[in-house]
């Protein structure tokens, strides 16, 4: 019985990893020989873009951990980055929320309260969508789909949000608490309903105005780095007449639209929009090929980040054991 209890977590992890690998592999439509050929002949710019995309992921994890620790320290940044990337691959399982569920499980094991995690998830997604929308609107203005004064209107809205941040936060809190009550009552089991009820004791929007806009600035910077990395990826495909803001807006727009997809990682929707936007800069066949490579590039960046963080974790634990043994 004890042996079964020891083996169960390891078997569960292996099964979960197999499920993630299966669904992630289904998002890749190129033949293995084509992939091997591409990576064998990929130039210097491709690997620079991959490293820079890994930096973007690291920044995303850093911001999530910083928001989590805003009111009081919950996780060290090393543990926060580890929790973030170890749960990231679950997004490839159909449902679109398993990476967040994984974060909740892993962070809870570290002693992070449930209400703080829920607040962090809300802030992260609001700020992510806001930052991605900024770059998407810049792209639409560049394409002539919206007038340039729309950007001025957006700047005005952000200014009004800054000026009236407290009443807006209070209104959003009331709406979220009402939604959470309904979800806890009608959608979940009694156990989860109780957890949601506990989270309602505190408002989910607790950041001060200056902190909110500070994290928004962080996301804008991280998305700009992502834009540079995607721009370099396009350069590695010899697509020369694309600016960094066009690249950032293209990737951000594809990510935003992918939120509407029920398939793992926004499959199909994101690739479709990438093909459409890139077809303005190259032929459709090349754009289609690039959209698939971009999916693999994204996954490779996540794998690289995961390998780095888990290697650091393993080496640190090994050194601590060696030190304790002395």
């Amino acid at each position: 019985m004890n042996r079964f209890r020891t083996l169960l977590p390891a078997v569960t992890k292996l099964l979960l990893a197999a499920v993630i690998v299966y669904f992630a592999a289904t998002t890749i439509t190129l033949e293995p020989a084509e992939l091997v050929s591409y990576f064998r002949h990929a130039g210097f710019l491709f690997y620079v873009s991959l490293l820079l995309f890994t930096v973007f992921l690291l920044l995303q994890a850093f911001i999530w951990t910083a928001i989590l620790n805003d009111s009081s320290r919950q996780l060290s940044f090393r543990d926060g980055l580890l929790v973030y990337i170890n749960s990231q691959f679950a997004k490839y399982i159909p449902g679109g929320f398993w990476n967040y569920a994984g974060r909740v499980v892993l962070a809870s094991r570290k002693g992070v309260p449930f209400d703080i995690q829920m607040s962090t998830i809300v802030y992260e997604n609001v700020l992510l969508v806001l930052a991605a929308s900024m770059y998407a609107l810049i792209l639409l203005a560049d394409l002539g789909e919206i007038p340039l004064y729309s950007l001025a209107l957006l700047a005005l809205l952000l200014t009004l949000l800054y000026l009236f941040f407290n009443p807006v936060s209070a209104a959003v809190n009331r709406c979220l608490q009402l939604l959470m009550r309904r979800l806890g009552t009608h959608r979940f089991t009694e156990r989860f309903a109780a957890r949601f009820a506990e989270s309602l004791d505190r408002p989910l929007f607790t950041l001060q105005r200056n902190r909110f806009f500070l994290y928004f600035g962080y996301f804008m910077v991280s998305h700009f780095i992502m834009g540079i990395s995607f721009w370099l990826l396009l350069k590695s495909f010899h697509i020369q007449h694309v600016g960094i803001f066009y690249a950032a807006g293209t990737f951000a727009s594809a990510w935003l639209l992918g939120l509407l997809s029920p398939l793992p990682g926004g499959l199909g929707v994101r690739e479709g929009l990438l093909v459409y936007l890139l077809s303005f800069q190259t032929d459709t066949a090349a754009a289609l090929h690039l959209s698939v490579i971009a999916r693999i590039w994204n996954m490779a960046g996540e794998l690289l980040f995961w390998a780095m963080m888990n290697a650091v974790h393993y080496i640190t634990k090994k050194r601590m054991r060696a030190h304790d043994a002395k």
Side-chain angles (χ1 to χ4, degrees):
M1 187 67 176
N2 290 334
R3 187 177 181 183
F4 174 76
R5 289 179 178 177
T6 304
L7 288 175
L8 183 61
V11 172
T12 303
K13 287 180 181 179
L14 286 173
L15 287 174
L16 183 59
V19 169
I20 291 171
V21 169
Y22 170 77
F23 283 112
T26 60
T27 69
I28 301 173
T29 56
L30 291 179
E31 294 294 328
E34 292 181 272
L35 287 177
V36 171
S37 176
Y38 176 80
F39 285 113
R40 183 181 297 172
H41 298 97
F44 174 74
L45 286 179
F46 173 83
Y47 291 103
V48 173
S49 74
L50 181 60
L51 287 173
L52 202 54
F53 187 74
T54 305
V55 172
F56 160 72
L57 293 171
L58 189 149
L59 287 174
Q60 298 288 96
F62 172 86
I63 298 168
W64 173 76
T65 309
I67 297 173
L68 192 74
N69 289 336
D70 190 83
S71 58
S72 60
R73 185 179 177 85
Q74 303 295 331
L75 288 175
S76 68
F77 277 104
R78 190 190 72 189
D79 285 343
L81 300 186
L82 201 61
V83 166
Y84 184 95
I85 192 58
N86 282 346
S87 59
Q88 185 73 356
F89 296 99
K91 70 181 182 181
Y92 294 107
I93 301 175
F97 65 91
W98 292 109
N99 55 322
Y100 296 111
R103 271 193 239 168
V104 169
V105 170
L106 295 177
S108 295
R109 290 178 181 174
K110 300 287 185 180
V112 182
F114 184 73
D115 61 323
I116 291 178
Q117 293 190 59
M118 290 302 299
S119 179
T120 303
I121 289 172
V122 170
Y123 272 118
E124 178 192 20
N125 282 278
V126 167
L127 290 166
L128 267 172
V129 169
L130 188 58
S133 298
M134 292 285 290
Y135 285 101
L137 288 172
I138 292 172
L139 172 64
L140 290 174
D142 186 35
L143 291 171
E145 296 294 329
I146 61 173
L148 287 174
Y149 66 76
S150 299
L151 299 179
L153 290 175
L154 180 62
L156 176 61
L157 287 175
L158 287 174
T159 302
L160 291 173
L161 176 60
Y162 183 84
L163 294 174
F164 300 100
F165 184 79
N166 290 335
V168 170
S169 292
V172 171
N173 270 321
R174 286 193 294 272
C175 293
L176 284 174
Q177 287 174 340
L178 178 61
L179 176 63
M180 296 285 277
R181 285 192 183 96
R182 293 194 173 184
L183 286 173
T185 303
H186 300 294
R187 298 291 182 182
F188 297 109
T189 63
E190 290 183 5
R191 179 183 175 188
F192 282 102
R195 296 289 295 277
F196 274 98
E198 289 175 8
S199 70
L200 293 176
D201 293 336
R202 298 181 185 178
L204 289 178
F205 265 65
T206 57
L207 283 181
Q208 297 297 314
R209 174 175 57 189
N210 289 342
R211 304 296 291 176
F212 179 89
F213 280 91
L214 173 66
Y215 293 130
F216 172 63
Y218 286 168
F219 274 116
M220 290 296 292
V221 171
S222 70
H223 273 63
F224 185 70
I225 291 174
M226 177 272 296
I228 296 174
S229 63
F230 189 60
W231 175 70
L232 289 172
L233 178 66
L234 297 178
K235 291 285 185 182
S236 73
F237 271 76
H238 308 292
I239 300 175
Q240 303 296 333
H241 304 294
V242 175
I244 291 173
F245 281 100
Y246 189 98
T250 297
F251 201 81
S253 299
W255 178 82
L256 279 172
L257 196 61
L259 295 175
L260 304 176
S261 174
L263 298 177
L267 177 64
V269 176
R270 288 177 181 168
E271 281 76 10
L273 187 61
L274 278 179
V275 171
Y276 173 74
L277 293 172
L278 292 174
S279 63
F280 290 107
Q281 307 295 333
T282 185
D283 62 88
T284 303
L288 182 60
H289 188 71
L290 179 54
S291 71
V292 178
I293 293 297
R295 165 75 58 174
I296 300 166
W297 170 77
N298 191 320
M299 293 169 62
E302 292 169 341
L303 281 169
L304 182 58
F305 184 22
W306 175 85
M308 289 167 53
M309 288 308 306
N310 281 276
V312 169
H313 179 66
Y314 174 78
I315 292 170
T316 303
K317 284 184 67 176
K318 192 173 182 180
R319 286 180 175 177
M320 288 177 64
R321 287 173 182 170
H323 181 269
D324 293 340
K326 290 181 179 179

